[in-house]
Amino acid sequence: MTTEQVNADVESSRLRTQPRERPPRSTLSRHRKRDRSQARPPLRTVENPLARGLGWFGIGLGLIEVMAPRGLARAIGIYNHRALLRVFGLREIASGLGILSQPRPVGWMWGRVGGDAMDLAVLALALASSRSRRGRVAAATAAVAGVAVLDVLCSRQLSEQTGMIDESRAIRTHKSMTISRSPEELYRAWRDFDNLPRWMSHLESVRMIGENRSHWIAKGPAGAPVEWDAELTEDRPNEYIAWRSIGGSDVDHAGSVRFERAPAGRGTEVHVDLAYRPAGGMTGAAVAKLFGRAPDQQIQEDLRRFKQTMEAGEAPTTRGQPRGA
């Protein structure tokens, strides 16, 4: 064995036995924290601007009621109700946090309506009391009534956007899928409602009949078409689209699609919510047949087709082929 070979073997042995250098613990911790923050899904906050404003208003009012009940009682002209004001303040803070923490806080908003009714009842009692300053109480009552009107309008708006259409009879489904395309691309494809039959196999056609209105034709029982008109209820570019059928249609229908950037740049998370309720004499079984199979399975398949359409530019279709049993 030559001297060069001996030296090479010694050096190789030394490298194998030498402990590997590890980066400092602080560096490792920093990388782990960065990885965890990248993997953490984004927080979902309320999507409706009016609901967001009412949520922050409730928190602000609640803080005043909890921290300065005496001054607030004096301002609105009632006395000996400081403990009750603190309770109302805690209620306002809780409802405000609940509203701000959810994309569509229908239940929390209707809870605010119930709270408004309680506030108005207390103010009505104060108006009848000789110990209160009735002018100030009347002004406070008018202000609360105005807020109550906004709460009712917002609650009804959220109920419509969420598709709350008689839960006892509605066929509802929610599905999600990650697609390797940007929210902007996916939004543009979905916002053109004419495209929907390309991946939603139970639809024959969708065509726009106005700026925010569309006409839908679906495959009904025994091959008979089922038609309805729908209107756009919310449209936030690259983020969210919601629609619902207009009164008098064969099917009471509501739907929404939300586009959220996936963690670590893995594309976009697409969340679809659909609801169908029998109307115009249709039965629940007839509405179910619009899908041709279990609604959850069909919508999941439609999302896969949407994914193939957007990622590969085409999607397999069963149009014209006989359905399996």
Side-chain angles (χ1 to χ4, degrees), residues 251-317:
V251 176
D252 193 359
H253 166 57
S256 68
V257 56
R258 186 171 67 255
F259 308 98
E260 296 180 350
R261 293 191 185 277
R266 293 187 296 106
T268 302
E269 294 177 358
V270 181
H271 304 271
V272 176
D273 288 278
L274 294 178
Y276 290 86
R277 183 179 68 83
M282 290 188 68
T283 64
V287 173
K289 288 180 180 179
L290 292 175
F291 294 92
R293 63 176 76 176
D296 280 355
Q297 296 177 5
Q298 184 60 61
I299 299 304
Q300 188 69 28
E301 183 61 32
D302 291 344
L303 267 178
R304 290 195 189 98
R305 191 176 291 107
F306 181 51
K307 178 182 176 74
Q308 290 174 302
T309 301
M310 299 307 300
E311 293 182 350
E314 59 181 354
T317 179

Side-chain angles (χ1 to χ4, degrees), residues 153-198:
L153 290 175
C154 186
S155 299
R156 295 186 62 179
Q157 186 181 70
L158 285 173
S159 297
E160 292 177 356
Q161 293 169 357
T162 312
M164 293 182 67
I165 48 176
D166 191 0
E167 294 283 351
S168 62
R169 302 176 64 204
I171 297 173
R172 301 180 59 85
T173 183
H174 169 85
K175 290 296 177 182
S176 302
M177 186 169 291
T178 300
I179 300 177
S180 298
R181 285 291 182 269
S182 68
E184 292 79 9
E185 293 176 280
L186 301 180
Y187 166 83
R188 284 196 300 270
W190 201 291
R191 179 61 179 83
D192 185 356
F193 279 13
D194 293 352
N195 287 329
L196 294 184
R198 294 178 61 189

Side-chain angles (χ1 to χ4, degrees), residues 220-244:
V226 178
E227 304 183 30
W228 66 90
D229 291 340
E231 62 180 354
L232 205 62
T233 57
E234 191 167 355
D235 182 12
R236 294 203 308 278
N238 309 324
E239 293 181 11
Y240 183 75
I241 305 170
W243 64 93
R244 68 168 294 120

